Amino acid sequence: MTALPMAGRGEELAAILGAWKQVGDQSQIVVLTGEAGVGKSRLVAEALAALRPRPTRVLAGQARSHAPSPYDWTASALSGHPVEDLPGPADALAWLTQRPDARREFSPGMLLRVAVDVTRAVLGDGPGVLVVEDLHDLDPASLALVAELAATPLPALVIVTSRAPDALAGRVLARLGGTPRTVRRHLGPLSPDEVADVLESAFGTRAGAAAVHERTGGNAFWLTELVAAFRTAGPEALVDAPLPAHLASLVTDRLVGEAPETIRFAHAAALLGGAAALALAAGQTGQAAESAGSAALTPGSARTGDPATSADAPAGGTVDTDAAVHRLVSLGILVLGADGAPGFRYPLTREAIADSVLPAERAALLARAGGPEPHLTGREREVLSCVAAGMTNQQAATSLGISIRTVTVHVSNLLRKTGSASRTEAALWAVRNGYTE
Ligand SMILES: Nc1ncnc2c1ncn2[C@@H]1O[C@H](COP(=O)(O)OP(=O)(O)OP(=O)(O)O)[C@@H](O)[C@H]1O
Ligand SMILES: [Mg+2]
């Protein structure tokens, strides 16, 4: 697949190119923040390609988030660079480049000085570029080095990207951001128009952009992945085809190893919505919870045949629910709305998690939350079973011999009547209520 052109980001790109022009003996700093997949690395890559005059050298390094070791940034930035050419004691260089046989024989201060000297030597007279990707994940030694480099006169543009940082990385980020030589940009999601630009380059049509924007939340990563997955199926699939397994598992893998309470809450929120899941967890669903005996998420609700909702149920309920919500927010799965109710960051995430809930748990959750069943017309029932079978509106129209426009109307009525936020939810509702035969 050929890469899609970058949508939007014109202002940010211009700001980076502007900073490049300012580089002299003093460095200029660009700090790009934004959540996972928003397009930080892509913007850096496009900016590097557009720099004029060309930088004499680009030193780019990143965190190794799974097994951080001291000086990950230096080691990755210098990989492929002949160590013999670098200034400093061989043992210190071995340590900074993470040679397996390296022994640490130097104080942290000494290593930091050598690391600064090495960076300066590699940059030479410049102007060059230092790229620090994913500062939020960097080891403390690399963080100290980045802070030091930003404070040192260097003929370089220093470009730093970061997701939301923890305390230590946050302090470094604040220091970088606090100089008059710094340009900061926070990247938000792509707009509906920018999503349409991407669809147009991929499929030659802007149709469905609003719905695709809604499904992906304008996140560049999800958008790009959907385009890749449905390149041949066409743009309509981006709106309503089920999430391919490899993408769904990117989401559900994030829950692996989490506390049972966290997973239960994620499942409840995916199927019922954040506010209903909270109410259920607090045992406050009134008649619905009472009629079901006890709420699935309240303590002591051990029931046979459903280990997922009874395992490790702690006493207290709501404190644990707060912890679960907090954890899901920090995993980037939920966000807290203005009213304090948790919602999914992206509809896609919700779909993936809802689809992963196994039948027994799903039925139990839906039964506990369920109200009176809505009345569905005969045609609505037919359309609903098409939706539950994973058909697109076009396929449903063909299968039922009615127009796609009529199907669309039925689908929107179905969403309303079943209280579903998406086709996936309506499909789940159909399964639970026996409309799928
Ligand atoms: N403005 C854009 N237009 C089109 N595609 C984009 C845009 N921004 C990013 N992409 C694509 O989206 C995907 C994710 O982008 P990228 O890797 O830059 O995100 P990121 O912010 O660096 O994420 P992470 O925090 O995970 O490193 C990539 O495939 C990238 O090419
Ligand atoms: Mg990145």
Side-chain angles (χ1 to χ4, degrees):
M1 180 187 130
T2 50
L4 297 163
M6 181 169 71
R9 311 298 188 214
E11 191 280 332
E12 292 86 350
L13 190 57
I16 300 173
L17 300 182
W20 175 240
K21 292 217 160 64
Q22 304 288 315
V23 173
D25 296 337
Q26 282 277 3
S27 62
Q28 297 288 317
I29 303 169
V30 173
V31 175
L32 301 173
T33 50
E35 61 189 38
V38 77
K40 303 177 294 296
S41 300
R42 175 68 183 265
L43 176 58
V44 172
E46 300 272 343
L48 288 178
L51 295 182
R52 297 291 180 278
R54 305 297 302 146
T56 52
R57 185 171 286 281
V58 177
L59 263 185
Q62 67 206 18
R64 292 195 308 187
S65 54
H66 292 300
S69 325
Y71 286 107
D72 272 345
W73 182 80
T74 314
S76 57
L78 292 179
S79 77
H81 196 96
V83 178
E84 310 79 69
D85 299 354
L86 303 176
D91 284 350
L93 293 172
W95 180 262
L96 293 174
T97 52
Q98 296 181 346
R99 283 233 315 264
D101 56 343
R103 283 171 305 152
R104 179 168 168 177
E105 291 170 344
F106 301 90
S107 68
M110 167 76 171
L111 285 168
L112 184 60
R113 270 197 303 283
V114 176
V116 171
D117 289 347
V118 164
T119 311
R120 203 201 302 275
V122 173
L123 277 173
D125 291 337
V129 182
L130 303 181
V131 180
V132 181
E133 277 268 34
D134 302 325
L135 179 99
H136 63 277
D137 257 343
L138 270 186
D139 61 281
S142 296
L143 285 174
L145 174 61
V146 171
E148 190 66 24
L149 288 173
T152 308
L154 279 178
L157 179 66
V158 182
I159 306 180
V160 175
T161 70
S162 184
R163 298 184 195 167
D166 63 12
L168 184 59
R171 277 207 293 281
V172 173
L173 212 54
R175 252 172 80 183
L176 297 180
T179 90
R181 297 171 285 120
T182 303
V183 166
R184 297 183 67 145
R185 290 294 183 275
H186 184 75
L187 302 189
L190 299 178
S191 69
D193 226 36
E194 289 161 353
V195 168
D197 290 343
V198 171
L199 294 186
E200 188 163 13
S201 353
F203 300 106
T205 169
R206 303 174 76 83
V212 173
H213 178 263
E214 156 86 27
R215 192 180 191 192
T216 58
N219 181 271
F221 172 81
W222 288 121
L223 175 64
T224 310
E225 291 298 319
L226 282 188
V227 168
F230 297 123
R231 248 285 146 74
T232 48
E236 199 186 322
L238 273 76
V239 178
D240 57 16
L243 211 53
H246 73 281
L247 294 183
S249 64
L250 286 181
V251 177
T252 51
D253 283 356
R254 281 193 248 162
L255 290 175
V256 172
E258 293 299 325
E261 179 78 6
T262 305
I263 295 175
R264 274 199 298 276
F265 190 85
H267 288 177
L271 290 175
L272 311 172
L278 270 188
L280 202 57
Q284 284 164 358
T285 48
Q287 152 254 326
E290 267 161 41
S291 67
S294 62
L297 303 182
T298 34
S301 67
R303 291 168 300 107
T304 49
D306 190 1
T309 54
S310 60
D312 301 332
T318 49
V319 171
D320 243 66
T321 304
D322 281 351
V325 171
H326 183 78
R327 180 67 192 150
L328 290 165
V329 168
S330 69
L331 287 171
I333 292 174
L334 296 182
V335 284
L336 293 181
D339 55 356
F344 281 82
R345 189 177 278 279
Y346 306 111
L348 261 176
T349 321
R350 179 176 184 173
E351 278 176 46
I353 292 177
D355 287 347
S356 75
V357 183
L358 294 174
E361 187 187 359
R362 169 183 308 171
L365 275 169
L366 293 175
R368 278 171 174 71
E373 256 191 47
H375 172 73
L376 302 186
T377 66
R379 186 61 99 188
E380 281 168 354
R381 288 159 187 263
E382 288 172 352
V383 172
L384 183 58
S385 53
C386 293
V387 169
M391 291 187 201
T392 63
N393 285 357
Q394 182 59 64
Q395 289 165 333
T398 309
S399 149
L400 300 174
I402 55 180
S403 79
I404 185 167
R405 207 181 133 75
T406 310
V407 172
T408 311
V409 173
H410 285 311
V411 168
S412 76
N413 286 338
L414 280 167
L415 293 182
R416 181 175 46 77
K417 286 188 178 181
T418 61
S420 305
S422 66
R423 301 170 72 88
T424 307
E425 250 183 73
L428 291 172
W429 189 94
V431 170
R432 171 183 47 111
N433 290 283
Y435 287 89
T436 46
E437 292 319 313

